[in-house]
Amino acid sequence: MAAVGESLMEVIAGNQEHKLLKDWAPINDPAEIVTDLLNAYDELASELGTALRAARQFIRNGVEFGYISMPDPETPDSAHDTLPMIEAALSLVKP
């Protein structure tokens, strides 16, 4: 079991430049990183969700008020995929 802790600490040390690990250091137990990373993930997901909801509303308003012209439905254009992609991404984050 000690090897697991050592291995975990080696991986952490080798990835210290990653945004989620940059300022992380264990106090007593390397397993603390699980909770710390979950908390960091939740915070990041919340920020992404806020940005995605704002982008979705911006696009909807732009289309509704005529500032954004959508291509015809039969025209192959990535614009048709944008809102569904935002909706799919939002389904992965908490409201």
Side-chain angles (χ1 to χ4, degrees):
M1 202 57 141
V4 172
E6 272 184 48
S7 176
L8 176 60
M9 292 309 295
E10 287 173 13
V11 171
I12 292 168
N15 289 282
Q16 278 295 307
E17 293 306 311
H18 190 282
K19 181 181 179 177
L20 293 178
L21 295 175
K22 191 166 178 129
D23 298 321
W24 186 87
I27 295 174
N28 296 315
D29 182 358
E32 292 173 8
I33 195 167
V34 174
T35 302
D36 292 346
L37 287 175
L38 288 173
N39 289 338
Y41 170 81
D42 286 343
E43 184 178 320
L44 184 59
S46 175
E47 291 174 24
L48 291 172
T50 299
L52 286 167
R53 282 187 286 281
R56 176 182 63 190
Q57 193 60 50
F58 178 83
I59 293 168
R60 286 179 176 169
N61 288 349
V63 171
E64 181 180 343
F65 296 114
Y67 296 107
I68 298 174
S69 298
M70 291 296 288
D72 293 330
E74 65 277 355
T75 303
D77 192 298
S78 62
H80 297 297
D81 302 327
T82 304
L83 280 175
M85 287 169 55
I86 290 172
E87 293 295 342
L90 281 170
S91 73
L92 302 174
V93 297
K94 295 177 185 174

